[in-house]
Amino acid sequence: MPPDDKFSPTRRHLLTGALGAVAALAAGSAATSPVSQLKRPQPGYPQAPGGLVVFGDDGTDVAAFVNAMARVAAMGGGTLMFRRGVYNWSSTDLKALGHPGMTVPANCTIDGNGSVINVTGSDQIYYVFTATDVSRVAVADLKVIGNSVSTGYNGGAFMKFALSPTATAGIDSFKLDTVELQNFKAPGWIFVYNESRSNLEIQHVRINGLRGISRPGNSLDPEDLGAHAAVIGINSAAWEPDDAAQAIVRDVIVTGFCAEATHIKQGINFESNVRDSEIRGAVVHNAGLVGGKDDTGCYALMVYGANNRNIRITDPVLISPRDNGIYAVNGSGLAITNATVRGQTSNSDWTLPKAGISINSVRDAMVSGGTLSNNVTDLYLGIRGTAANVSVEGVQCNGASRAGIWLQGSAANVGGATINRSAGQCG
């Protein structure tokens, strides 16, 4: 039994009608882009169809949790609530579960009730939790400390919410609320991934109040540009431009995110075919300062890939990123509003541009408002084509050691960039 077997008397930013509210939003937002309508979630209590199972009465280890989750699945869904306490889960036991880790069924809310989970031992786990090809899954009010063991992709992470290559229907409504993660070593501590070979979609992902705290050794490969190390990874298998109609991840909203990212590379990574989504009010400190080397992809926020559409980044505060505060490449429909980025350090741009914000070959992009200060370069605009439609409005650039605004064409006769009412020496 955990030391404190009482339910938590206080609830910090719990799920806002976790499953029902997201479904209602889905029904009402089809006509217009959700990016223009989103409102900050309000605190509420976890709700899920089905019954309640209390974890902690009939054992506290991995096997006991698997049994409790099976009871929830047998009811067709419901809430699994922890007795509040500290739980030590063996990495050996988690590894023995194989790649899925602990399987979360559809219509399930895991309410941590203020509990702490420690992953103990030195075995590499795959995921603590996995929800594959199922909808209406939520996790709330939980702190999880990993064991920082991983040798590659699909290992060492907290949770995966995924649509598999064999799925026959899309999935929706995945929510994390008031979760804290520490000491994981994985490309994405939370990994949302659409591997569908058709036009099936993952829709309506809500991540609110997530805290990520890195520790020494959490970066998977500090010297490899191709090795990610992020708290949140939202990904699709539709890498190629010709695959834009398949494997879409749509309507992802991240609010209240805060990361101490010194020992990893990225805070949030939106990669390949993420649509109609927003990062709102993210705070990321020190991305890649120890967990990476110059020119190895140390970005506080990243939007990467030809098929991304309609991404909004609003009110980010990004302090001392190594390579870029925000790095966006390819895709279309990007809006960055009221960004604060200061202390970007790398000038090693022989592979990729480095700046407080780098917009690299993105069409229909706007950067408006905000302050970029004391970076090597404040704002980089890489323009491709004759009608890129990239605009900068009212951005303040101060104290850059190389250039306030660096405008660069990818070839001769490019155009379509507009800079208005912005202060900063152009380079």
Side-chain angles (χ1 to χ4, degrees):
M1 177 69 69
D4 180 357
D5 65 350
K6 297 180 180 179
F7 293 152
S8 173
T10 59
R11 315 293 284 159
R12 299 176 302 123
H13 299 290
L14 289 183
L15 294 170
T16 310
L19 306 175
V22 173
L25 177 61
S29 62
T32 57
S33 169
V35 169
S36 62
Q37 305 186 62
L38 297 171
K39 295 182 179 180
R40 190 174 297 276
Q42 297 299 311
Y45 285 86
Q47 298 176 9
L52 172 69
V53 173
V54 177
F55 174 63
D57 290 343
D58 299 319
T60 62
D61 62 5
V62 169
F65 190 89
V66 170
N67 290 337
M69 191 59 63
R71 291 170 59 195
V72 174
M75 294 187 297
T79 297
L80 190 153
M81 179 179 284
F82 281 67
R83 289 279 180 183
R84 192 179 190 215
V86 177
Y87 295 77
N88 295 314
W89 285 358
S90 163
S91 59
T92 300
D93 293 344
L94 289 168
K95 180 180 179 181
L97 297 174
H99 185 265
M102 288 184 282
T103 301
V104 181
N107 307 313
C108 177
T109 289
I110 298 173
D111 181 359
N113 195 32
S115 295
V116 177
I117 296 171
N118 292 304
V119 178
T120 64
S122 58
D123 284 288
Q124 179 185 307
I125 66 172
Y126 293 91
Y127 299 93
V128 178
F129 301 125
T130 296
T132 301
D133 298 341
V134 295
S135 295
R136 296 171 297 281
V137 170
V139 181
D141 202 14
L142 187 63
K143 177 178 178 179
V144 186
I145 302 172
N147 67 346
S148 192
V149 179
S150 182
T151 58
Y153 278 68
N154 293 324
F158 166 64
M159 187 165 188
K160 182 179 183 180
F161 182 74
L163 195 62
S164 73
T166 59
T168 58
I171 57 176
D172 65 84
S173 304
F174 171 58
K175 184 158 188 177
L176 293 180
D177 202 305
T178 318
V179 171
E180 180 177 314
L181 302 177
Q182 297 186 27
N183 200 40
F184 282 89
K185 186 174 185 176
W189 298 7
I190 295 165
F191 190 41
V192 177
Y193 191 31
N194 191 341
E195 294 185 272
S196 171
R197 305 304 186 200
S198 66
N199 62 352
L200 301 178
E201 296 188 4
I202 295 176
Q203 297 187 5
H204 315 309
V205 175
R206 298 290 183 270
I207 301 175
N208 179 61
L210 175 66
R211 296 174 60 86
I213 301 175
S214 67
R215 296 186 185 178
N218 285 167
S219 189
L220 191 60
D221 191 337
E223 299 189 11
D224 183 355
L225 176 62
H228 294 321
V231 178
I232 299 174
I234 311 294
N235 291 58
S236 164
W239 292 80
E240 300 296 334
D242 291 344
D243 297 333
Q246 71 181 44
I248 294 171
V249 183
R250 191 186 303 276
D251 187 21
V252 178
I253 312 299
V254 181
T255 55
F257 173 75
C258 182
E260 204 302 307
T262 300
H263 303 284
I264 52 179
K265 290 184 179 180
Q266 300 99 18
I268 302 173
N269 178 10
F270 282 8
E271 185 162 352
S272 300
N273 229 4
V274 181
R275 308 280 182 93
D276 305 326
S277 295
E278 183 172 8
I279 300 169
R280 190 185 302 152
V283 178
V284 182
H285 288 261
N286 305 330
L289 286 190
V290 177
K293 305 292 184 182
D294 285 359
D295 206 34
T296 61
C298 300
Y299 315 134
L301 306 177
M302 178 163 68
V303 180
Y304 186 97
N307 296 326
N308 292 318
R309 304 285 187 273
N310 302 326
I311 305 297
R312 177 174 292 174
I313 301 174
T314 306
D315 301 321
V317 177
L318 312 174
I319 308 302
S320 300
R322 179 186 283 272
D323 286 332
N324 286 286
I326 300 172
Y327 180 67
V329 61
N330 298 323
S332 64
L334 173 69
I336 300 173
T337 306
N338 294 328
T340 298
V341 187
R342 67 173 184 265
Q344 174 265 336
T345 58
S346 173
N347 62 2
S348 304
D349 53 18
W350 51 80
T351 301
L352 297 170
K354 307 296 183 295
I357 298 175
S358 289
I359 308 296
N360 189 10
S361 303
V362 181
R363 301 181 310 280
D364 302 322
M366 170 174 273
V367 183
S368 61
T371 301
L372 313 178
S373 59
N374 300 317
N375 303 300
V376 173
T377 298
D378 286 325
L379 176 62
Y380 170 87
L381 303 175
I383 307 302
R384 176 181 296 175
T386 59
N389 191 26
V390 174
S391 64
V392 179
E393 181 81 23
V395 177
Q396 298 299 311
C397 301
N398 304 306
S401 61
R402 182 167 60 180
I405 300 174
W406 181 9
L407 181 62
Q408 185 178 52
S410 62
N413 301 317
V414 299
T418 304
I419 300 173
N420 289 323
R421 295 188 302 138
S422 296
Q425 180 67 39
C426 287

